[in-house]
Amino acid sequence: MRVIELAEKNRKVCSFLVLFIISTSFIYSEVSCSHEDNDMEEEGESVNPTEVKMSQIVMPCHSNHRQELSVGQLLKWIDSTACLSGAWVLLHSFNTSMEVGIQVSCEDLFSDRHWRVCHAYATFVTQRTNTGKKVILKPIVPQTQKEQVEYSVAAERRRVRMVHDDIIKDLLSHGSVQQADNSAVGNAVAAERTKVESVELVLPPHANHQVNTFGGQIMAWMVNVATIAASRLCQAHPTLRTIDMFTFRGPSQIGDRLLLRAIVNNAFKNSMEVGVRAEAYQEEGPNRHINSAFMTFEVLDDHGKPCLLPRIRPEPLEGERRFQEAIARKKIRLDRKYIISRTQGEAPLSVPWDPTNQVYLSYNNVSALKMLAAQNNWRLSSEKDKVHLYTLEQKSMLSFRVESEVDVPAHRAFSLLAEISNRPSWDTHYRKCELIHQVDDDDFLYRVVTPSVSHGALGSPTSSSQGEGILQDFILLASKRKPCGSGDPYVIALRSVSLPTHPPTEGYNRGEVLCAGFTILETKNNMSLIRYYNQASPEVLPYISTDIAGLSSSFYHTFCSCSQYLTRNRQNVTSEEQTGQYQATNTDSPTCETQVDALSVALHSTQL
């Protein structure tokens, strides 16, 4: 099990009055949207066989030193509920793994106040049969639009999980992580002083229905030793903030002894990372590594503010390695929080791109477009010859959608539109498009030049001229995705990024694109429904304002030109496409006897 993020926010309530409701279900709200901001309308009630709800009263025995619900107890409840839902089918099933969505809410039984505590995703991996054969899961069939969106975005989350270790290695190999500074040894605490070892005997009450040690119990034991290690550094009561990479590597059974080891890997200004390792052994035989985790702690003062922490002096060799890897993980957490966890209105339009945050930018790019496409309150603004223009108003943000059906197979339309370099041949708004860098098979960086739409406007920050004729340029990340399954569209997502090698230049206004792109859905008779989306930034709004007002039809002509381009190149099939239309390409997950592979949590803790 891997806990990607856990962030706390204190809430003082009386212990006997708090009811925790933990639910797992296929229908699950998005990570980036709160209930208040979710504009996807509720659909008709549908029975979901995977939905499980657990209700628990928070008692004093469940609390920590701050009279808050302990994280270990919460993880036990989350794991139990996820297991119950995992016995069925969940948000997304890959070949040999499945993802479960979990939501934890809290209710004050006296005031009837309700609030969300955390959301989580857990990935369960199937075990092989006694003959060593893989167990192939049945595919998920989403029943509602919300289920379809979450099902589709689950594939993006899987991409992030699969490259996490590679990002760590890349950061370390390219010298992006500082070395341990041993110059202040007099003020530093030796890491050896924070070492903790504890042995637990697995008894029948600790086992699950498969007679393996209950995962929630193992996590609770690991949190316990990590807390002791953190206390030895700060000599105070630490508060757990995040858990990274909580990975189950193998099972343990009744009668096993679990050896739990913890040590402070690194201490930053206001936080520290503790590494935890769990091993199982019998009276005879070697130790088996069954779990690892990295936990971040803080120490809060009387006003709830983080305190300054002592520096740590790592052990030679292995200790220095852990010290540097802790810095790399901190950078990854900051990238993830900065790019993924923020809503679109909070994040800046153009995020700096580099290879270490590429996976998060790509995730944000694709998921943002899918979330925008899933909104239900689009309004038809104009229609001409079966080309429809829709608008969506959300607070101060205006988005538009242009759609039409074309007589071109979906896989062929996707291949043509994904070649962004060819867009100037059919889109007059694209004067020039150059490929800067191909990141991988699915992600590309482009510089796009467009005509100016702001007469008399100021140029870029480095521009000395103004007036008519100044061109605009954009640095765009293009992410293309094939469908995750039946009913899922092809996606070509676009968003602005910034590159040190391509700063704003003289004679160009640097424009920004927050969220744009195409979705391509296969329809009857081998045709395609093409939809183009754009969240209108100030640089884009002048292009469409007259269309929305009905004063022109430039987007109609652009879409007609796009349709003609697709039809004209309908038969020029590439060698890749000659093998047939797209089929699901889920690869086998790593085969092991792991029960749970991934859990992402964002927590607002509840004080008793």
Side-chain angles (χ1 to χ4, degrees):
M1 181 174 287
R2 177 179 301 136
V3 178
I4 299 212
E5 186 173 3
L6 182 152
E8 295 185 327
K9 183 176 180 181
N10 297 329
R11 296 183 182 274
K12 296 182 179 181
V13 292
C14 177
S15 61
F16 294 103
L17 308 182
V18 177
L19 175 67
F20 264 78
I21 303 174
I22 306 176
S23 60
T24 59
S25 171
F26 190 98
I27 304 176
Y28 185 74
S29 58
E30 299 73 39
V31 177
S32 59
C33 298
S34 66
H35 286 307
E36 294 78 8
D37 294 333
N38 186 9
D39 291 324
M40 285 190 287
E41 298 173 357
E42 295 296 331
E43 303 184 31
E45 293 292 332
S46 59
V47 178
N48 191 331
T50 71
E51 182 172 356
V52 175
K53 288 187 178 181
M54 174 187 291
S55 299
Q56 295 282 353
I57 292 285
V58 180
M59 303 296 288
C61 61
H62 301 141
S63 65
N64 58 18
H65 68 281
R66 293 175 61 88
Q67 292 188 318
E68 297 170 346
L69 173 69
S70 70
V71 176
Q73 183 60 57
L74 178 59
L75 290 173
K76 288 183 182 180
W77 289 341
I78 286 177
D79 193 41
S80 294
T81 315
C83 243
L84 290 170
S85 186
W88 299 79
V89 194
L90 319 137
L91 285 179
H92 200 311
S93 65
F94 305 99
N95 279 357
T96 57
S97 65
M98 63 187 82
E99 184 182 271
V100 183
I102 306 161
Q103 180 172 299
V104 182
S105 59
C106 199
E107 173 188 353
D108 189 319
L109 297 178
F110 276 18
S111 67
D112 198 31
R113 185 169 63 95
H114 298 75
W115 64 97
R116 292 180 63 182
V117 176
C118 74
H119 52 260
Y121 296 102
T123 299
F124 289 78
V125 180
T126 61
Q127 296 183 1
R128 291 177 179 266
T129 65
N130 294 334
T131 60
K133 184 179 179 181
K134 292 181 180 179
V135 177
I136 305 300
L137 298 172
K138 295 180 180 179
I140 297 295
V141 181
Q143 300 298 321
T144 66
Q145 185 181 35
K146 290 177 67 176
E147 291 178 2
Q148 180 66 56
V149 172
E150 194 62 37
Y151 174 92
S152 182
V153 175
E156 291 301 306
R157 287 190 291 269
R158 184 172 185 264
R159 292 170 68 100
V160 172
R161 291 194 297 269
M162 298 297 282
V163 299
H164 185 277
D165 291 342
D166 292 335
I167 295 175
I168 295 283
K169 294 177 183 177
D170 186 68
L171 284 170
L172 296 176
S173 63
H174 287 79
S176 303
V177 176
Q178 69 185 48
Q179 301 295 316
D181 182 10
N182 294 320
S183 60
V185 292
N187 299 324
V189 176
E192 294 93 328
R193 288 181 53 186
T194 69
K195 278 186 176 180
V196 178
E197 284 194 3
S198 179
V199 178
E200 300 285 350
L201 175 62
V202 180
L203 300 173
H206 302 142
N208 61 21
H209 61 288
Q210 295 178 326
V211 201
N212 292 329
T213 311
F214 177 44
Q217 180 63 68
I218 297 175
M219 289 190 287
W221 284 334
M222 295 177 73
V223 169
N224 182 58
V225 294
T227 304
I228 297 174
S231 300
R232 287 184 174 175
L233 174 68
C234 62
Q235 296 183 336
H237 292 296
T239 299
L240 180 61
R241 285 305 189 204
T242 66
I243 306 177
D244 243 0
M245 291 298 297
F246 217 150
T247 306
F248 281 81
R249 301 173 180 271
S252 66
Q253 294 81 30
I254 296 173
D256 277 348
R257 279 73 168 170
L258 295 192
L259 174 60
L260 305 160
R261 293 191 178 103
I263 189 172
V264 176
N265 291 333
N266 203 335
F268 307 102
K269 183 178 180 181
N270 301 115
S271 64
M272 70 187 92
E273 181 192 276
V274 179
V276 190
R277 179 185 175 99
E279 298 177 353
Y281 66 92
Q282 297 279 352
E283 293 182 1
E284 297 180 357
N287 289 12
R288 311 185 312 274
H289 182 195
I290 64 169
N291 208 326
S292 292
F294 303 99
M295 307 183 188
T296 303
F297 289 84
E298 292 177 349
V299 177
L300 304 179
D301 60 20
D302 294 337
H303 303 287
K305 301 296 183 181
C307 301
L308 293 176
L309 296 175
R311 300 185 64 179
I312 196 79
R313 185 173 67 252
E315 301 171 296
L317 301 178
E318 280 298 300
E320 292 175 354
R321 176 188 61 81
R322 293 193 298 265
F323 182 94
Q324 294 167 23
E325 288 181 351
I327 299 174
R329 280 187 290 271
K330 182 178 180 180
K331 182 191 184 305
I332 290 175
R333 286 193 297 271
L334 291 174
D335 286 343
R336 192 171 55 232
K337 181 178 180 180
Y338 184 67
I339 297 171
I340 294 181
S341 299
R342 289 173 178 261
T343 61
Q344 293 177 359
E346 294 174 326
L349 294 182
S350 185
V351 177
W353 181 91
D354 67 66
T356 62
N357 70 4
Q358 159 60 26
V359 64
Y360 309 114
L361 281 170
S362 180
Y363 173 93
N364 178 273
N365 194 19
V366 174
S367 61
L369 181 60
K370 289 183 176 182
M371 298 301 181
L372 179 63
Q375 304 300 323
N376 278 340
N377 49 346
W378 290 94
R379 294 184 179 181
L380 181 64
S381 293
S382 63
E383 178 182 359
K384 184 177 181 180
D385 296 337
K386 297 184 179 180
V387 176
H388 303 81
L389 173 62
Y390 294 85
T391 58
L392 173 67
E393 294 186 39
Q394 296 173 298
K395 297 181 179 178
S396 59
M397 184 70 66
L398 175 66
S399 304
F400 66 91
R401 180 182 90 205
V402 186
E403 70 177 39
S404 181
E405 194 171 26
V406 297
D407 188 14
V408 177
H411 67 282
R412 182 61 184 150
F414 170 71
S415 177
L416 291 169
L417 293 177
E419 294 292 337
I420 308 296
S421 299
N422 293 335
R423 189 163 170 176
S425 66
W426 59 267
D427 188 350
T428 57
H429 301 104
Y430 272 50
R431 180 166 294 185
K432 182 181 178 182
C433 181
E434 60 176 305
L435 176 64
I436 299 174
H437 176 55
Q438 180 175 344
V439 181
D440 52 36
D441 291 340
D442 298 320
D443 297 278
F444 306 82
L445 293 170
Y446 291 94
R447 178 176 178 261
V448 174
V449 177
T450 68
S452 175
V453 295
S454 181
H455 301 296
L458 290 174
S460 66
T462 59
S463 176
S464 59
S465 62
Q466 55 177 305
E468 185 175 355
I470 299 178
L471 300 176
Q472 291 191 118
D473 68 343
F474 301 79
I475 306 299
L476 300 181
L477 170 64
S479 304
K480 63 177 185 178
R481 299 289 188 272
K482 293 179 180 179
C484 299
S486 177
D488 198 41
Y490 293 86
V491 172
I492 305 167
L494 303 169
R495 66 155 297 157
S496 284
V497 296
S498 60
L499 290 174
T501 57
H502 289 73
T505 56
E506 183 82 15
Y508 292 91
N509 286 318
R510 177 54 55 88
E512 304 281 358
V513 173
L514 176 60
C515 176
F518 294 91
T519 65
I520 305 161
L521 190 64
E522 183 177 352
T523 60
K524 60 182 179 180
N525 299 325
N526 213 20
M527 298 179 67
S528 304
L529 178 62
I530 311 292
R531 287 171 170 162
Y532 176 75
Y533 296 86
N534 199 311
Q535 284 191 327
S537 59
E539 295 82 7
V540 176
L541 187 59
Y543 284 117
I544 66 165
S545 58
T546 54
D547 287 75
I548 294 174
L551 300 178
S552 72
S553 55
S554 64
F555 263 80
Y556 164 74
H557 294 296
T558 300
F559 225 74
C560 288
S561 178
C562 175
S563 178
Q564 293 168 5
Y565 163 74
L566 295 175
T567 303
R568 187 168 58 249
N569 294 277
R570 187 181 194 276
Q571 302 300 329
N572 299 335
V573 181
T574 65
S575 59
E576 178 183 355
E577 293 173 313
Q578 287 176 351
T579 60
Q581 294 188 8
Y582 170 73
Q583 297 178 349
T585 58
N586 295 327
T587 58
D588 290 346
S589 301
T591 55
C592 60
E593 295 180 349
T594 306
Q595 255 193 336
V596 184
D597 176 63
L599 169 67
S600 63
V601 181
L603 170 69
H604 303 279
S605 73
T606 299
Q607 188 166 15
L608 301 181

